[in-house]
Amino acid sequence: MLRTLIAASFCIMPSSVSAQTMSAEDIARQIDERMKNLNPYEELLQDPDPSRRVAAMQIMLESGDRDLVRIATEYGLMAEDVVVQKAALAGLLESEPVLTMMLDASDADLRGWTNTLGGTATPEGFHYYRFDMTGYLEDELCYAQSKAPSSCFITLNSDGIFVEFRRGTGSDFARGKMQITTDGRLEGPLNLDGVSEPVTASIRLFE
């Protein structure tokens, strides 16, 4: 019985595949059609004029629309121009996102920091902290987060991208200089008071 069913399936297969097969010309026509129907927002971000591309990105970031913010953020952060990258990051931070920082601390004891900040840790030594961004501090020229709404958390300037936060209400600070990676993260060494060696910090900016 099994052999009969297998044989029957092979008899049916050629006509089924033949009915579904598309010619190269058919595929080419569909590609052309899809290219004509590019996402209109992507078209704005691909404008030949660099100033119009940046303006489109900034307007989309300021729109408050989650989908537009995501499209503009991905475009800006993946750009080769550092100025465009920083503009995209600034726009994202002004939208007050929730950011998760991961610390790779397999060789360091961060239990005190993690307990105070209400973070979580894995057996492998990865520590996760949540930061709810609260907007731009005009006087300090930086971006704050809810655990310390009047203090700098992320600073963007001509020297780079810097992260700084306090361990609770104590005198211990964490400080580091970050870079935007090719897969859309802020990453760099973080120095924490009371911890002998820097640990690698990473903040994913989009999925």
Side-chain angles (χ1 to χ4, degrees):
M1 181 64 178
L2 179 59
R3 292 182 180 179
T4 303
L5 289 174
I6 294 174
S9 67
F10 275 104
C11 290
I12 295 171
M13 190 178 300
S15 60
S16 175
V17 172
S18 176
Q20 296 176 1
T21 299
M22 298 175 61
S23 68
E25 291 76 12
D26 291 334
I27 295 174
R29 278 195 295 271
Q30 289 199 25
I31 292 173
D32 291 339
E33 189 63 29
R34 290 191 183 187
M35 293 303 292
K36 290 178 184 177
N37 296 321
L38 275 176
N39 185 318
Y41 302 110
E42 292 178 358
E43 289 185 0
L44 294 173
L45 295 172
Q46 294 173 6
D47 192 288
D49 185 342
S51 61
R52 289 181 62 85
R53 292 199 299 269
V54 173
M57 179 190 71
Q58 291 174 330
I59 291 171
M60 291 165 67
L61 288 169
E62 295 166 1
S63 69
D65 185 298
R66 291 182 61 181
D67 289 334
L68 293 186
V69 170
R70 176 184 55 78
I71 292 171
T73 299
E74 290 184 12
Y75 163 78
L77 294 178
M78 304 306 287
E80 296 181 0
D81 189 329
V82 175
V83 175
V84 175
Q85 284 186 333
K86 285 186 178 180
L89 178 57
L92 174 65
L93 296 176
E94 287 170 8
S95 71
E96 301 184 4
V98 175
L99 300 179
T100 300
M101 175 183 288
M102 182 189 77
L103 302 184
D104 183 354
S106 54
D107 297 324
D109 185 356
L110 300 186
R111 285 175 296 180
W113 279 86
T114 300
N115 290 338
T116 303
L117 293 173
T120 59
T122 69
E124 296 76 22
F126 295 103
H127 294 246
Y128 296 88
Y129 305 151
R130 169 179 167 144
F131 295 98
D132 296 355
M133 301 302 296
T134 56
Y136 190 69
L137 300 178
E138 295 287 349
D139 293 337
E140 303 294 336
L141 304 178
C142 61
Y143 298 89
Q145 48 90 16
S146 61
K147 292 182 176 68
S150 60
S151 300
C152 290
F153 175 53
I154 296 179
T155 301
L156 311 179
N157 57 36
S158 58
D159 293 322
I161 304 168
F162 301 88
V163 169
E164 178 179 354
F165 57 95
R166 184 196 300 266
R167 175 182 168 183
T169 57
S171 58
D172 289 344
F173 278 86
R175 298 180 177 90
K177 184 176 182 179
M178 305 284 123
Q179 291 185 329
I180 298 174
T181 65
T182 56
D183 61 346
R185 290 177 294 114
L186 282 180
E187 186 173 278
L190 194 67
N191 294 288
L192 298 94
D193 290 343
V195 179
S196 59
E197 297 292 333
V199 299
T200 299
S202 175
I203 301 174
R204 181 163 293 282
L205 301 173
F206 65 85
E207 295 301 325

